[in-house]
Amino acid sequence: FFFFKQKTAYEICACLVGSEMCIRDSINAEYGNETETESSMSAAATSAQGDPSPEHQAILNQFQERKQALDTVETQLAQYATMHDEHARVVWQLKPLDDARRCFRHVNGVLIERTVGEARPQIEQRRAQLEAQAKELQAKQKKMSDELNSFMQEHNLRYQTAAQAQQAAGVAPAP
């Protein structure tokens, strides 16, 4: 066996690389600097000096919490879709095989020996469960998205990229 140490972005070079950039972007987003994926408040939601008032800051915080919750649901939905596709692919691969043929199923880090006849119904059942859970998450995602949109309209919020925010502030965008 040959073991290779996987290099991190910090070991490869000192320059800014992908994972380092993601870390810095997420840190900047936490401190209120706008990135391409972050939202900013519209002019109606900020005071004359450009600094949000405590009331408007509370609105922005509530918006960001709702947006983060929606992003979490969307991530879960993508994970369910991936697992569903994997289960569908396995069922498709097992379909032409004889029911008496041995197969191994990976469950919680353990390989369990089964026959195709035993494993196929279990996998199909799990696939159906994943599909039902995904439909529930889709309904939840739709509801949360509608609520977020109505919240944005109610408080006159809009999405704005970092470049748009810099342009509105009269600052030249970074190259």
Side-chain angles (χ1 to χ4, degrees):
F1 289 109
F2 290 99
F3 293 99
F4 295 99
K5 182 181 178 204
Q6 191 173 25
K7 292 191 177 283
T8 64
Y10 300 103
E11 293 172 320
I12 293 171
C13 66
C15 66
L16 190 64
V17 290
S19 63
E20 201 172 6
M21 194 180 312
C22 293
I23 292 167
R24 288 189 181 173
D25 283 350
S26 64
I27 290 170
N28 288 340
E30 289 176 7
Y31 293 110
N33 296 337
E34 294 165 344
T35 62
E36 291 294 324
T37 58
E38 289 298 311
S39 303
S40 63
M41 294 190 304
S42 67
T46 59
S47 65
Q49 297 90 4
D51 294 330
S53 68
E55 177 185 314
H56 294 183
Q57 187 63 39
I59 291 170
L60 180 59
N61 289 342
Q62 189 177 6
F63 167 77
Q64 289 173 341
E65 288 171 5
R66 289 177 182 217
K67 178 73 171 120
Q68 186 177 17
L70 178 62
D71 291 345
T72 301
V73 169
E74 288 173 346
T75 300
Q76 289 174 341
L77 192 56
Q79 290 171 346
Y80 278 119
T82 300
M83 288 190 296
H84 178 270
D85 291 346
E86 289 173 356
H87 282 71
R89 193 174 312 117
V90 170
V91 168
W92 182 77
Q93 291 287 332
L94 291 177
K95 217 169 230 74
L97 300 178
D98 180 40
D99 284 349
R101 184 174 176 169
R102 288 186 330 159
C103 66
F104 295 88
R105 185 166 179 214
H106 191 256
V107 179
N108 296 328
V110 179
L111 283 177
I112 300 172
E113 183 177 350
R114 300 265 190 250
T115 64
V116 171
E118 294 170 335
R120 188 183 305 128
Q122 294 171 352
I123 296 168
E124 288 174 346
Q125 180 184 13
R126 179 66 181 139
R127 187 182 81 182
Q129 290 172 345
L130 288 168
E131 191 172 338
Q133 290 170 337
K135 285 181 182 180
E136 289 175 16
L137 273 178
Q138 285 174 338
K140 183 177 180 179
Q141 184 258 350
K142 171 86 170 100
K143 180 183 174 191
M144 291 175 76
S145 179
D146 291 344
E147 288 174 357
L148 183 65
N149 288 334
S150 66
F151 182 83
M152 289 176 65
Q153 288 177 347
E154 178 184 336
H155 296 287
N156 197 20
L157 298 176
R158 61 183 168 88
Y159 285 108
Q160 191 175 44
T161 63
Q164 291 170 333
Q166 288 175 348
Q167 188 177 25
V171 178

